[in-house]
Amino acid sequence: MQLTLVLGSIEWLWTVFSLTHQRIALGHLHRVRRQVLELAYYQGLSQTEIASQLETPLGTVKSWARRGLFSLRHALQDVEEDDVNRRLAENGLEL
């Protein structure tokens, strides 16, 4: 039972770590690219729906999404461990 509790805690901690890492990386993106990705992934909107909501041509939304994903990939690689540790500490957590 204790092993299950430890493994569950590790999984929970890894989830928090991953989400924190992603949030930090999203914060490094240009505002419109971040907005498009957040609308798509957190609100489940299609690119057509995003274009309508932002009153922007569909092709522009597609470009923002593509560039945003490319930038996000690089931002995730560039996020310093110290940033993640600082964010975790702000939430009362430590690695």
Side-chain angles (χ1 to χ4, degrees), residues 37-57:
L37 294 180
E38 287 176 341
L39 288 170
Y41 291 100
Y42 296 130
Q43 295 186 21
L45 298 181
S46 69
Q47 289 180 336
T48 302
E49 293 169 326
I50 294 169
S52 176
Q53 183 171 331
L54 298 179
E55 298 179 352
T56 304

Side-chain angles (χ1 to χ4, degrees), residues 22-86:
Q22 291 168 15
R23 274 292 185 203
I24 292 169
L26 276 170
H28 290 290
L29 297 182
H30 186 273
R31 183 187 58 81
V32 294
R33 293 175 185 169
R34 181 179 61 247
Q35 184 178 19
V36 166
L37 294 180
E38 287 176 341
L39 288 170
Y41 291 100
Y42 296 130
Q43 295 186 21
L45 298 181
S46 69
Q47 289 180 336
T48 302
E49 293 169 326
I50 294 169
S52 176
Q53 183 171 331
L54 298 179
E55 298 179 352
T56 304
L58 179 59
T60 302
V61 169
K62 288 177 180 273
S63 293
W64 287 343
R66 183 179 175 278
R67 290 178 183 152
L69 287 172
F70 182 78
S71 297
L72 183 60
R73 179 175 51 180
H74 288 286
L76 283 169
Q77 293 170 350
D78 294 340
V79 172
E80 296 292 329
E81 187 175 314
D82 291 342
D83 289 338
V84 175
N85 287 333
R86 181 178 48 79

